[in-house]
Each structure stands twice: as structure tokens, then as C-alpha cells.
């Protein structure tokens, strides 16, 4: 198979779909890999390294989209990219279609086979291709939030961990999954007062057992969210409904009642955000202030630490990339129900229920489209 790796074009996105090591594995499996020149330059992955790994260096993304059988990316295709996709071509990347009906319809019109990293599953019910970026985003959310609490950023001028004789900041984390757990770990490491709110009692039990009395665990209700959010200095939105738009857990009225200079960091912004006042931002302009509350809603948070993120992502995606290349998408999808869960768009049809519900397009089961 001919695998194409174009350079990412989203604002301040420096991750790359395949590292030289991943390219070497694919070439070892007998595949041809086309890498756009300069795709990994910003994070120290040089063209010479790709060439040494067996990649063919290509001048433009247009050439790659025109000739590759499978496109491996990191971020969802931008409009100029999805217009270059063609029928039957495989697209393997993050998609986040539920809050982005325009992209979903663009992919449908292209006839592409689009497999989303964020909905691929594993035998334990996890999301193995989302997990590494959730880990990064969770850890980053605390350092970003701590920075936003500084006066110069519009925050209330509070040090996250306080100092002797001065209270530490109160950090509230909505969601105790992978990103929420990593956020809690970092916040506790900085000696903040940390509360995790979640609907899953089993998960709250696991967190309580793991972290003990240094972590406050609360069952999620409207009352509990309101009480803790209004008293917080920093709130991390880390809720996830796989493939679906994030639920709005914090209303605009709650935001209006929060302390002046408090901070909201919305990790869920890729799926539409879990704060009613959230709107996507970029690393170029990461924050805005609304109702005297600082909002950090960068839609590709891990892109800020692109080198770490690229290697972490490749560790997770490479086996699936090789399976798709070795077997072809039809056999690979039919033979692996976890990879099949990642199929969101298939030759003009939406094959993921949550995306169908979110954008109002008819749903066709993934197994059905493969059988037809």
C-alpha cells in the first residue's frame, strides 16, 4: 500500500502522522510511504531521517493526496484537505465529527473511508488512540490553568499551590477518565486542593483508592457541580462521551457567578466543549475573558508539546496503521471489531451512531456497509 503523510496545516499544529521509526516499520512490511518535505521539521524529525527510514520525500501535500491509498494524519482535515480526498481512499486521523457537521458532510461527499482515532476501542472498553493525547491534555491543563491564574493573563493572581500561611487554589475537575486523572495527578503534585466530579461510582472508588485523602471525589449532580464550580479557582472540563458532542455541564449562569479571575480549561473543546461559554481557540490566541472568567479552550492542546505528543500517538496508532496497510481496509476492519469502532464515514455514509445523532444524518451500521 502507498501511505501518505502530509504536513499538518492547522494553526500551530506541529505533530506529524508518522515518525521515521513508524515509516521504517511500514517500509519493512513492504509498503511505500510518502512524506511531505518538512512535515516533522518543527519537532526535530528531519527529512534526512525520513529518507534514511525509507520514505519518499514529496514536495507538496497535493501530490500526496492525489497518489496515496491511505492518508495518515493527526488533526482532522481542514477544508482544503478534505476537498482533495477521493472515493475509496482511507483517512486515518482524529476527526471529532460530532461538533463539526461541515467536515462530516465534506468527508461524505468525498467518498473517503474515514477512520477516527478517537473512537477506536480496545478489549477493556478503553479508547487506546485517544488515551495518549488525553494524558498529555490532562497534564497540560494544569500548567495552562496555573499560568492563566496569573494577573498578567487576566487571572485572580493566585499561585496554584499557595505558600505556607496562604491557602492553595481550589481545582475542580469534571470527569475522572484518562485526562481528568492526569489533571488531578498534576494538580495534587503542585499541592492544590483537588476535587474530581464524576457519574461513575466505580471510577470514583478507583481514584479514592489510588490517591487517598489528598483527592476529594464527588458524585456528579447539578447541585454538586454548581457548588464546587462556584467555589473553584480553576475548573478543568474533562468529560467525554465517545464520538458524541460533550454535555454542557456548566451553564452560562454558573460562569457569571464564578469568582472574578477564575479560570476554565476545556479539554473537551474538540467535542464541542463542556462549558456553555466555551468556543474553540488556538495556540496563537489561547484565551479569552467572558464574565470576568478566563477561558482556555485550545482545540489541539497536545500540539503545544508536539514532539512528546507525536511519539506517544505513534506508539498507539502504528499497529492499526500497519493492519490497515497489510490487509487492506476492508479485511482489517472486518477482522477487528475495535478498529471497526473507529469507522465514522464510509463512502458517503455515516457509520457511527453518536455522529449521526449529533449532525442529523442517517446512520448506517459499520458492519452493514462492509458487507454490502
Amino acid at each position: 500500500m502507498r501511505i501518505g503523510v502530509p504536513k499538518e496545516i492547522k494553526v500551530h499544529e506541529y505533530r506529524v502522522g508518522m515518525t521515521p521509526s513508524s515509516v521504517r516499520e511500514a517500509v519493512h512490511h513492504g509498503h511505500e510511504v510518502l512524506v511531505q518535505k518538512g512535515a516533522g521539521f518543527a519537532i526535530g524529525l528531519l527529512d534526512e531521517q525520513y529518507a534514511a527510514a525509507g520514505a519518499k520525500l514529496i514536495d507538496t501535500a497535493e501530490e500526496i493526496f492525489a497518489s496515496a491509498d491511505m492518508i495518515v494524519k493527526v488533526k482532522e482535515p481542514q477544508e482544503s484537505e478534505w476537498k482533495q480526498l477521493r472515493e475509496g481512499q482511507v483517512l486515518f486521523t482524529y476527526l471529532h465529527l460530532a461538533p463539526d457537521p461541515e467536515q462530516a458532510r465534506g468527508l461524505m461527499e468525498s467518498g473517503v473511508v474515514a477512520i477516527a482515532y478517537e473512537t477506536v476501542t480496545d478489549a477493556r472498553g478503553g479508547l487506546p488512540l485517544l488515551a495518549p493525547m488525553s494524558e498529555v491534555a490532562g497534564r497540560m491543563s494544569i500548567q495552562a490553568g496555573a499560568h492563566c491564574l496569573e494577573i498578567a493573563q487576566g487571572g485572580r493572581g493566585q499561585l496554584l499551590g499557595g505558600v505556607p500561611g496562604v491557602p492553595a487554589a481550589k481545582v475542580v475537575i469534571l470527569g475522572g477518565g484518562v485526562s481528568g486523572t492526569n489533571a488531578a495527578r498534576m494538580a495534587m503534585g503542585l499541592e492544590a486542593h483537588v476535587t474530581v466530579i464524576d457519574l461513575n461510582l466505580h471510577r470514583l472508588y478507583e481514584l479514592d483508592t489510588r490517591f487517598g485523602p489528598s483527592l476529594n471525589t464527588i458524585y456528579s449532580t447539578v447541585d454538586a457541580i454548581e457548588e464546587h464550580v462556584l467555589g473553584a479557582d480553576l475548573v478543568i472540563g474533562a468529560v467525554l462521551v465517545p464520538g458524541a458532542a460533550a454535555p454542557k455541564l456548566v451553564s452560562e449562569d454558573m460562569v457569571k457567578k464564578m469568582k472574578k479571575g477564575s479560570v476554565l480549561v476545556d479539554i473537551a473543546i474538540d467535542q464541542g466543549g463542556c462549558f456553555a461559554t466555551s468556543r474553540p481557540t488556538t495556540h496563537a490566541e489561547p484565551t479569552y475573558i467572558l464574565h470576568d472568567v478566563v477561558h482556555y479552550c485550545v482545540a489541539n492542546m497536545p500540539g503545544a508539546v508536539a514532539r512528546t505528543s507525536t511519539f506517544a500517538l505513534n506508539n498507539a496508532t502504528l499497529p492499526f496503521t500497519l493492519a490497515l496497510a497489510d490487509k487492506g481496509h476492508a479485511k482489517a476492519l472486518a477482522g477487528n471489531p475495535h478498529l471497526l469502532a473507529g469507522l465514522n464515514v464510509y463512502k458517503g455514509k455515516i457509520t457511527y451512531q453518536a455522529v449521526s445523532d449529533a449532525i442529523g444524518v442517517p446512520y448506517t451500521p459499520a458492519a452493514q456497509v462492509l458487507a454490502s
Side-chain angles (χ1 to χ4, degrees), residues 62-362:
E62 287 78 11
E63 295 173 80
I64 290 176
F65 280 101
S67 60
D69 303 307
M70 176 167 66
I71 300 294
V72 178
K73 280 176 43 61
V74 177
K75 288 307 294 178
E76 70 282 353
Q78 306 301 293
E79 184 174 1
S80 63
E81 294 175 312
W82 79 57
K83 288 182 176 178
Q84 298 177 66
L85 296 166
R86 64 180 190 275
E87 185 168 356
Q89 193 173 42
V90 177
L91 173 64
F92 193 34
T93 188
Y94 287 115
L95 292 176
H96 302 293
L97 295 178
D100 193 355
E102 186 179 8
Q103 183 204 164
R105 290 185 173 87
L107 295 181
M108 291 172 69
E109 290 170 7
S110 73
V112 76
V113 176
I115 303 166
Y117 292 162
E118 72 269 14
T119 63
V120 172
T121 60
D122 62 23
R124 297 173 295 176
L127 301 169
L129 307 191
L130 186 62
M133 296 304 93
S134 295
E135 291 169 350
V136 172
R139 296 182 182 206
M140 279 191 66
S141 70
I142 299 303
Q143 65 186 49
H147 182 58
C148 290
L149 277 170
E150 297 172 10
I151 283 282
Q153 310 307 315
R156 52 193 275 108
Q158 188 160 10
L159 184 64
L160 206 63
V163 293
V166 181
K170 293 180 179 178
V171 177
V172 173
I173 301 167
L174 304 179
V178 175
S179 57
T181 299
N182 277 271
R185 178 179 171 187
M186 292 293 285
M188 285 186 288
L190 291 172
E191 301 184 1
H193 293 297
V194 185
T195 297
V196 171
I197 301 177
D198 200 288
L199 274 172
N200 188 326
L201 282 173
H202 179 67
R203 184 59 185 153
L204 292 177
Y205 173 79
E206 290 178 333
L207 290 170
D208 185 73
T209 301
R210 177 175 175 181
F211 295 115
S214 57
L215 178 65
N216 187 32
T217 56
I218 298 293
Y219 180 75
S220 181
T221 63
V222 174
D223 277 348
I225 291 172
E226 184 172 44
E227 176 186 348
H228 289 277
V229 165
L230 295 188
D233 301 297
L234 170 61
V235 182
I236 308 296
V239 296
L240 173 69
V241 179
K248 303 295 185 187
L249 298 184
V250 176
S251 67
E252 185 164 3
D253 187 56
M254 281 190 215
V255 175
K256 289 178 180 178
K257 295 176 182 176
M258 290 178 69
K259 292 183 284 191
K260 182 179 184 297
S262 53
V263 176
L264 297 175
V265 176
D266 201 339
I267 297 175
I269 194 64
D270 270 334
Q271 295 294 139
C274 62
F275 308 130
T277 49
S278 291
R279 57 176 171 79
T281 61
T282 68
H283 289 296
E285 296 183 40
T287 65
Y288 59 92
I289 298 174
L290 183 62
H291 305 311
D292 293 324
V293 174
V294 182
H295 292 63
Y296 180 100
C297 305
V298 176
N300 59 329
M301 286 179 65
V305 287
R307 185 176 175 90
T308 296
S309 297
T310 291
F311 282 95
L313 181 60
N314 269 247
N315 289 342
T317 58
L318 181 60
F320 295 97
T321 301
L322 293 176
L324 287 165
D326 290 347
K327 301 175 183 178
H329 74 267
K331 286 186 178 180
L333 290 166
N336 187 336
H338 302 300
L339 182 58
L340 185 61
L343 186 63
N344 278 215
V345 183
Y346 189 89
K347 298 180 180 179
K349 297 178 180 179
I350 294 295
T351 55
Y352 199 84
Q353 182 74 66
V355 173
S356 169
D357 293 343
I359 68 174
V361 171

